[in-house]
């Protein structure tokens, strides 16, 4: 098994993936539903906010699940030279493990208020987890993030 990936590289990979998914989806959705005012509390804007956020979440889930189950890497992970591996044998998390990992990372955010709190705990978990520096989505899928070189 290659060495564990640096947490900083993992963070930059997530930022790259977020930009790759969120920017095009936001542009397309804003063309379809009109520009969304995220500071407004009107019911019309709340509906638009929920629609854009829901579609972005769905696209991110599909992007992450497809990339992990086929390559073990997203574009951001490729750029940072890291990959997701099964803890047991270092293999690509093909099938259910890749989808479980993607779901535990992205789906809880649909729960108003509490979803963000779970997401935050999830991604911070690797800062104190020993010995594998796993986030909760890694633990659920039995994966680790390792260097790809």
């Amino acid at each position: 098994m290659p060495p564990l990936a640096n947490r900083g590289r993992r963070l930059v990979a997530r930022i790259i993936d977020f930009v790759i998914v969120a920017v095009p989806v936001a542009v397309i959705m804003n063309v379809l539903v009109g520009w969304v005012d995220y500071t407004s509390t009107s019911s019309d804007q709340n509906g638009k906010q929920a629609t854009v956020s829901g579609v972005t979440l769905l696209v991110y889930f599909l992007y992450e699940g497809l990339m992990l189950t086929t390559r073990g890497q997203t574009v951001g992970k490729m750029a940072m030279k890291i990959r997701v591996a099964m803890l047991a044998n270092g293999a690509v998390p093909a099938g259910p493990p890749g989808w479980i990992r993607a779901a535990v990372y992205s789906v809880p955010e649909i729960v108003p208020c509490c979803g963000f709190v779970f997401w935050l705990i999830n991604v911070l978990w690797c800062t104190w987890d020993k010995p594998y520096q796993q986030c909760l989505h890694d633990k659920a899928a039995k994966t680790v993030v390792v260097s790809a070189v």
Side-chain angles (χ1 to χ4, degrees):
M1 180 83 73
L4 295 174
N6 172 292
R7 288 183 201 98
R9 290 166 73 191
R10 291 175 71 169
L11 175 62
V12 172
R14 282 286 182 195
I15 292 169
I16 292 168
D17 290 332
F18 177 77
V19 170
I20 286 171
V21 172
V23 170
V25 169
V27 169
I28 292 167
M29 290 304 297
N30 283 317
V31 166
L32 294 177
V33 300
W35 190 254
V36 179
D37 179 4
Y38 286 97
T39 61
S40 175
T41 57
S42 77
S43 62
D44 178 51
Q45 288 300 310
N46 286 345
K48 287 181 181 181
Q49 292 167 6
T51 301
V52 172
S53 296
V55 169
T56 304
L57 217 138
L58 176 64
V59 171
Y60 193 88
F61 167 71
L62 293 172
Y63 164 78
E64 175 120 347
L66 288 170
M67 295 294 287
L68 292 182
T69 57
T70 58
R71 302 182 56 97
Q73 296 175 293
T74 59
V75 173
K77 287 175 178 56
M78 287 181 228
M80 297 311 300
K81 296 180 176 30
I82 60 178
R83 68 182 181 88
V84 176
M86 294 303 299
L87 181 59
N89 59 14
V92 168
W99 289 105
I100 289 169
R101 188 178 192 277
V104 173
Y105 179 79
S106 58
V107 173
E109 287 192 64
I110 63 172
V111 178
C113 188
C114 301
F116 175 76
V117 173
F118 174 83
W119 176 84
L120 188 59
I121 292 168
N122 174 18
V123 297
L124 291 175
W125 200 270
C126 69
T127 61
W128 60 77
D129 184 70
K130 300 292 180 212
Y132 300 115
Q133 300 173 4
Q134 292 172 295
C135 293
L136 295 177
H137 55 272
D138 289 308
K139 289 190 174 296
K142 296 180 176 75
T143 60
V144 289
V145 182
V146 297
S147 292
V149 272

